[in-house]
Amino acid sequence: MGNKPSADASGSYRRHGPQFTDRVVAEPSGDTEWPVEAGRYRLVVSLACPWAHRSLIVRRLMGLEDAISLAIVDPLQDDRSWRFSLDEDGLDPVLRYRYLEEAYLARDPEHGTDNGVSVPALVEESTGLLVTNDFPQITIDLGIEWAKFARPGAPTLYPPELRAEIDAVNEGVFHDVNNGVYKAGFATKQSRYEEAYTALFARLDELDERLANQRYLVGDHITEADIRLFTTLVRFDAVYHGHFKCNRQKLAEFEHLWPYARDLYQTPGFGDTVDFDHIKRHYYQVHTSINPTQIVPLGPEPSAWLEPHHREELGGSPFGPEGTPPEPLEGPLRPLPPLDM
């Protein structure tokens, strides 16, 4: 997620792909590959952003907290996009930057905010250079390439024997759900909105049916597919249902998707990385073309996410037969001050 979105001449929202697609890998073999090295990189995320949220979940599931440091930006952006204004003196304590844009400029001095400043981003701590903002590849690599730094009992999130199926599920989820809510919310013509709305709920209906008799999207434990769907589902009723006009029904009104989402939320690494305060403040206060008053809604009640889901009756286990949960977090990731009255 980067700067304020806009629609093209047809009235359709267009998402720009990542512009920096270097990778951090265990055995680098070219100029666009960086070595896996504990303490070398800083992961910059917004707790509001579903794309960044994925990387936060994987970092936690894999137990990479000691290997990769974490920076959390303010959910509210200004003209220079994501900023470190939640940190003391408005400076990231490691990178010494006020804006994530500075890491982009260190990598490419010609890169301006208009070209996009997005999270998640991996930044080299010693140089302040942006390494990659390739959000789909970041999570895959965190789950595979960083294996030597993973905690005992970490899950296999992208198992080779399931990759074709995971990729197929992810493709539809990306276009119709992850990006679909944005295509509905930022459409500027009725026909474009209706196309996105129709595709979104057709895909959600398909997923709801898929989950009727299986606990997870692919296989019998959590995979990359579940992580990618979850970060949209957890924002659905709080933001997308009303703010983006995705209002045929709430997530809480789906027979199987709602218990499935609660099952994930109650799994360590998922719900403990969700911050509804950051999420709602970002969408309702930044998207002034949709919500000019910037009023942030109080609901829905987050305690509903803790209701029993009974999904364990379908079998399977979150982390696989040999896996274990990550250690509990101590307190919120990044609290915010009260809203201005």
Side-chain angles (χ1 to χ4, degrees), residues 14-26:
R14 302 293 183 190
R15 178 172 297 281
H16 299 291
Q19 294 176 293
F20 298 94
T21 57
D22 289 8
R23 294 177 60 195
V24 179
V25 297

Side-chain angles (χ1 to χ4, degrees), residues 37-59:
E37 187 178 321
R40 181 168 178 174
Y41 306 101
R42 190 155 176 81
L43 177 64
V44 183
V45 304
S46 162
L47 300 182
C49 170
W51 316 95
H53 190 183
R54 300 173 179 183
S55 62
L56 190 60
I57 292 172
V58 175
R59 174 180 176 268

Side-chain angles (χ1 to χ4, degrees), residues 179-226:
N179 203 37
V181 293
Y182 288 87
K183 289 190 284 187
F186 291 113
T188 56
K189 292 189 177 178
Q190 185 71 27
S191 59
R192 300 286 84 81
Y193 159 72
E194 292 182 8
E195 288 171 3
Y197 175 102
T198 300
L200 166 66
F201 282 101
R203 185 69 64 181
L204 290 177
D205 287 340
E206 176 188 298
L207 293 166
D208 193 62
E209 183 177 353
R210 182 185 184 95
L211 291 164
N213 298 303
Q214 61 189 67
R215 188 172 180 183
Y216 302 108
L217 284 175
V218 182
D220 59 3
H221 69 278
I222 290 163
T223 67
E224 180 81 16
D226 299 295

Side-chain angles (χ1 to χ4, degrees), residues 11 74 106 151 170 313 321:
D74 195 313
R151 65 180 179 84
N170 286 347
E313 297 170 8

Side-chain angles (χ1 to χ4, degrees), residues 148-331:
K148 69 179 179 180
F149 295 108
R151 65 180 179 84
T156 303
L157 299 174
Y158 196 50
E161 69 277 12
L162 296 178
R163 287 178 189 175
E165 187 177 359
I166 291 171
D167 290 346
V169 171
N170 286 347
E171 182 75 9
V173 167
F174 171 78
H175 289 292
D176 298 333
V177 182
N178 300 147
N179 203 37
V181 293
Y182 288 87
K183 289 190 284 187
F186 291 113
T188 56
K189 292 189 177 178
Q190 185 71 27
S191 59
R192 300 286 84 81
Y193 159 72
E194 292 182 8
E195 288 171 3
Y197 175 102
T198 300
L200 166 66
F201 282 101
R203 185 69 64 181
L204 290 177
D205 287 340
E206 176 188 298
L207 293 166
D208 193 62
E209 183 177 353
R210 182 185 184 95
L211 291 164
N213 298 303
Q214 61 189 67
R215 188 172 180 183
Y216 302 108
L217 284 175
V218 182
D220 59 3
H221 69 278
I222 290 163
T223 67
E224 180 81 16
D226 299 295
I227 294 166
R228 294 189 183 196
L229 179 58
F230 173 78
T231 59
T232 296
L233 294 184
V234 79
R235 289 161 173 78
F236 200 89
D237 289 359
V239 176
Y240 305 141
H241 177 270
H243 187 59
F244 279 175
K245 306 179 184 68
C246 300
N247 60 354
R248 191 194 76 180
Q249 67 195 93
K250 296 177 180 178
L251 173 66
E253 294 166 346
F254 278 91
E255 183 178 3
H256 306 295
L257 274 171
W258 174 226
Y260 161 80
R262 296 202 310 277
D263 185 6
L264 291 177
Y265 184 90
Q266 293 171 35
T267 300
F270 285 81
D272 53 20
T273 60
V274 173
D275 193 306
F276 286 114
D277 197 5
H278 278 248
I279 289 168
K280 291 193 291 186
R281 290 203 203 188
H282 171 76
Y283 284 95
Y284 288 103
Q285 293 192 295
V286 171
H287 300 160
T288 53
S289 63
I290 298 175
N291 186 40
T293 65
Q294 298 181 290
I295 291 174
V296 178
L298 294 178
E301 176 52 55
S303 62
W305 284 92
L306 300 177
E307 294 174 358
H309 53 75
H310 306 295
R311 296 284 294 178
E312 66 279 357
E313 297 170 8
L314 294 173
S317 58
F319 306 104
E322 305 297 326
T324 58
E327 291 295 322
L329 284 176
E330 296 181 5

